[in-house]
Amino acid sequence: MDLDLTDNPEQHRYEAHDGETLAGFASYILTGEMIVFSHTEVDPSYEGRGVGSSLARTGLDDARRRGLSVMPLCPFIHAWISKHPEYTDLVHNAPPSRVTD
């Protein structure tokens, strides 16, 4: 599946489109130097196809690029970060990550 993942700042959400169909979105609130992820929703016909993971990665990569810390209030984003420790350093007040060789 080839999704188009974009930030829609007017709607305060990252969106995943499959052609003209909205497959899912991750809502956020910008507060200064932080992005608060509040809700992620995937259309039932797209569940289990990686849409939520694509939204999480897109939003978190964008936060990193913009120098924003992250507050994952959304249970999906929170769980996704816990499974992808390379994003833990983005979480507001998280201890710095250590890279080991």
Side-chain angles (χ1 to χ4, degrees):
M1 176 172 45
D2 190 24
L3 293 173
D4 182 25
L5 294 144
T6 58
D7 180 13
N8 182 341
E10 293 81 24
Q11 294 290 320
H12 307 282
R13 65 189 193 181
Y14 292 93
E15 297 178 341
H17 288 271
D18 182 15
E20 296 295 316
T21 303
L22 179 63
F25 61 87
S27 297
Y28 63 80
I29 302 163
L30 282 177
T31 61
E33 296 179 3
M34 181 187 309
I35 185 167
V36 179
F37 286 98
S38 57
H39 179 70
T40 301
E41 189 170 320
V42 174
D43 184 284
S45 64
Y46 288 91
E47 287 180 359
R49 297 169 64 184
V51 175
S53 291
S54 294
L55 287 163
R57 187 176 307 279
T58 297
L60 294 169
D61 285 347
D62 190 43
R64 186 180 306 282
R65 181 186 62 76
R66 295 167 63 185
L68 300 172
S69 63
V70 171
M71 182 171 289
L73 296 182
C74 167
F76 179 84
I77 300 289
H78 185 270
W80 196 90
I81 292 171
S82 70
K83 294 176 187 171
H84 298 85
E86 65 272 24
Y87 290 95
T88 303
D89 63 308
L90 292 174
V91 177
H92 182 67
N93 286 333
S97 60
R98 292 188 298 177
V99 178
T100 59
D101 294 339

